[in-house]
Amino acid sequence: MASVTSKTPMLRAAAARGFAAHAQAAAASRGSAEVQTTTLPNKLVVASADPNAAVSRISIVFRAGSRNETADCLGAAHVLRAAGGLSTKTATAFGITRNIQQAGGSLTTAADRELVTYSVAVTKDQLEVGLKYLEATATGQVFKPWELAELTPIIRNELARLPVEVQAVELLHKAAFRDGLGNSVFCPDYLVGKHSSETMQHYFAANCTTNRAAVAGVGVDHQMLVGFAQSLALESGAGGENKSAFNTGEVRREGAGSRAAVAVGAQAVGWSSMKEAMAFWVLQHAAGVGAATKRGTNNGVLTKALAGVNSSSLYNGYSDNGMFGFVLSGDAKDAGKAVEAGVKALKSLSVSDADVARGKASALAAAAEYTENQSTLLHQLGEESALLGQVYKKSDLLAAVNAVTTGDVQAAARKVASSKLAIGAVGNLSHVPHLCELH
C-alpha cells in the first residue's frame, strides 16, 4: 500500500487556503519567474522563484545550525541532520523512503553553522507526495532512542572521512569564535552516541519555530507554497540569538603522517552589510580560489605566495560576522614555509585595478551559475529568507558585484591586514609555526 500516500488531497487543500488568502496576488504572479516573498502573520517567511521549472523543489529551513548549540547539547545539529528521514509522528522511516523512491524523488537534510534545511525534489505530478513527507520529516520527528542509536556508526563514518582541509577550517572557527560560530558543524568524537531523545526534542523545540523558519520553493506556484507553509504544525517563538565575536587564538591537532593542513583567518564582515560583504567576496576571488582547470596555475594575489602546496583563499560570511584568510595543505615542511609566506602576504594584502577586474569577473560568473542552477537557487532562497527575511534577485546580486569599486576592495584588504589572526592546524605540525611566531 505504499502508493496510497494520502486519503486527503493535502495539496489541493493547501492551495485552496493560499489562493483564498491571496487571490489577487496569485493572478498577478501566474507564470512569473521573478522571486516572490511573503511573510506570514506568524513570522514564517515564504519565498519562491521559477514556478514553471520541470522539477519542483521545496525546502523547509530553520535557524537551528550548530551556532545555536550550548555546552550541554554540542553536536545536536549534526545529529538532527543525520536523523532526517527517520520515523515521525505520521510515517515510519521505511514508509518515507519507499514512498519518496516510488515517486521518483529525493528527500535530503543539510546543516551548517546557521541553518538546518529539509528539502524534497519531485516532478510536478508527485508534488503532493513530496510535500506530505517533507512536512512529516521537518515538523514531526520523534527521535526514537533505538533509531538514534543506529545513527552512531553513520556519524562515526562521516567523522572518519572528513578531509584534513575541512578539519583545519573547523579548528580555525573554534580558535576564532570559541563558542557560537566556533561550534563545529560536526559532532565531537566524545559525544557520538550520547544524544538522548529528550535532548534532541528539546533542541528541536527551542530552535525550529515559525519565527526562525522559512519555506522556499523552485518550480512551484507561490500561492500554493504559502498555503503549504500556513498548514505547518510549528510552535511560535523567537528563540535565542547567539552572537559571536572574533578572537585571536590557535587550535592545533597533532597527527601522524607527513602532511599538514592549516587554515588562517582574520576578521571580515557578515552578510548583514551587503556592500561590504560583496567587497570581501570580490577580494576572495581576486586573492585566488584555486586553479580553474586540472593542473592549472593558482595566480591569485594571495595564493601565488603559497608555493608548493594546495591552497585557496577563504571567506566565510555569516549573519553577524565573517572571516577572511586562506587554507592550505601539503607536505609538512612545505606547509610550514607556506604559512609564513601566507601570513606575510595577508598582512600586506593589496590589489590593483586589474586584480579587482579579474575578481569581479570571477564573482559574476559564480553568482550567475549559482542562481541559474535550480538546486543552488533553492539553497539561496532558503538561506536568505531564514537569515535576512528577504531574498535578493539575480539582477540585484549581479548589480551589487558590479557596483564594487577598487576602493571598496582595497578597504576590505586593509581591514584584513590590520586584523588579529586565528589559526587552525591538523596533521604533522612539526614544521608549522605557532601563532605567536607569526606576529
Side-chain angles (χ1 to χ4, degrees):
M1 298 295 292
S3 61
V4 182
T5 57
S6 176
K7 293 183 179 180
T8 303
M10 181 194 68
L11 179 60
R12 290 198 297 273
R17 287 193 295 273
F19 277 118
H22 305 275
Q24 292 181 349
S29 66
R30 189 175 295 117
S32 173
E34 286 293 330
V35 173
Q36 301 179 72
T37 58
T38 299
T39 301
L40 302 182
N42 60 7
K43 306 302 182 183
L44 192 151
V45 181
V46 183
S48 69
D50 199 7
N52 299 317
V55 177
S56 295
R57 293 176 169 84
I58 304 94
S59 291
I60 299 177
V61 186
F62 298 106
R63 296 204 308 272
S66 61
R67 72 174 301 168
N68 301 287
E69 297 168 355
T70 57
D72 56 352
C73 65
L74 291 176
H78 188 177
V79 176
L80 193 61
R81 172 173 63 82
L86 296 185
S87 298
T88 70
K89 297 173 183 177
T90 59
T92 64
F94 174 77
I96 293 172
T97 301
R98 183 170 182 178
N99 282 284
I100 290 294
Q101 287 182 343
Q102 188 166 315
S106 65
L107 180 64
T108 57
T109 308
D112 56 26
R113 284 183 161 76
E114 301 259 32
L115 306 171
V116 173
T117 305
Y118 300 89
S119 303
V120 70
V122 291
T123 54
K124 289 183 180 294
D125 61 325
Q126 298 292 336
L127 185 54
E128 183 173 344
V129 178
L131 290 179
K132 175 183 177 179
Y133 289 104
L134 174 64
E135 179 179 7
T137 301
T139 66
Q141 293 198 57
V142 292
F143 304 109
K144 295 178 179 179
W146 55 92
E147 290 189 332
L148 290 179
E150 292 174 352
L151 295 178
T152 298
I154 297 174
I155 294 176
R156 289 198 183 281
N157 183 50
E158 289 183 5
L159 296 178
R161 298 172 61 185
L162 284 180
V164 290
E165 295 86 355
V166 174
Q167 296 179 45
V169 172
E170 291 299 306
L171 295 180
L172 171 61
H173 279 79
K174 186 65 177 176
F177 297 109
R178 299 176 185 173
D179 54 12
L181 289 174
N183 295 338
S184 176
V185 175
F186 304 98
C187 181
D189 289 336
Y190 63 91
L191 288 177
V192 176
K194 303 294 180 62
H195 295 82
S196 66
S197 178
E198 291 76 13
T199 297
M200 295 307 302
Q201 288 172 350
H202 175 75
Y203 186 80
F204 183 90
N207 295 287
C208 300
T209 61
T210 57
N211 305 57
R212 304 173 62 84
V215 175
V218 175
V220 59
D221 182 83
H222 183 74
Q223 302 311 318
M224 190 287 299
L225 196 64
V226 170
F228 170 70
Q230 290 171 333
S231 70
L232 296 178
L234 292 171
E235 298 293 331
S236 61
E241 294 297 332
N242 196 345
K243 300 291 184 180
S244 293
F246 189 90
N247 302 279
T248 185
E250 66 177 326
V251 179
R252 298 163 70 96
R253 182 184 297 161
E254 298 279 354
S258 61
R259 296 180 64 81
V262 184
V264 179
Q267 187 172 17
V269 299
W271 287 103
S272 56
S273 174
M274 172 62 76
K275 181 179 179 179
E276 288 186 275
M278 281 299 178
F280 272 97
W281 196 37
V282 171
L283 177 62
Q284 179 192 14
H285 284 268
V289 290
T293 59
K294 187 176 182 180
R295 299 187 181 91
T297 56
N298 198 355
N299 290 325
V301 293
L302 174 61
T303 54
K304 65 183 179 183
L306 308 175
V309 295
N310 297 320
S311 64
S312 174
S313 60
L314 177 74
Y315 173 51
N316 290 115
Y318 301 101
S319 56
D320 63 332
N321 215 325
M323 182 165 53
F324 185 94
F326 61 86
V327 57
L328 61 86
S329 64
D331 182 79
K333 292 183 180 180
D334 294 334
K337 295 177 182 177
V339 169
E340 293 179 351
V343 169
K344 290 180 180 178
L346 202 63
K347 284 298 184 178
S348 59
L349 188 60
S350 63
V351 291
S352 64
D353 290 337
D355 295 327
V356 173
R358 187 182 69 254
K360 289 175 68 173
S362 179
L364 285 169
E369 182 179 2
Y370 198 83
T371 53
E372 289 173 3
N373 181 297
Q374 293 179 359
S375 296
T376 51
L377 174 60
L378 178 68
H379 176 76
Q380 177 208 345
L381 295 178
E383 185 177 48
E384 293 178 357
S385 298
L387 295 177
L388 306 178
Q390 62 176 325
V391 176
Y392 292 100
K393 302 176 183 178
K394 175 183 175 180
S395 57
D396 295 334
L397 292 175
L398 298 182
V401 174
N402 279 318
V404 174
T405 65
T406 301
D408 296 331
V409 181
Q410 289 174 340
R414 288 193 296 270
K415 182 179 179 69
V416 170
S418 62
S419 171
K420 51 194 175 183
L421 298 179
I423 296 180
V426 61
N428 182 346
L429 305 181
S430 57
H431 298 278
V432 176
H434 288 266
L435 178 60
C436 60
E437 300 170 337
L438 295 170
H439 283 299

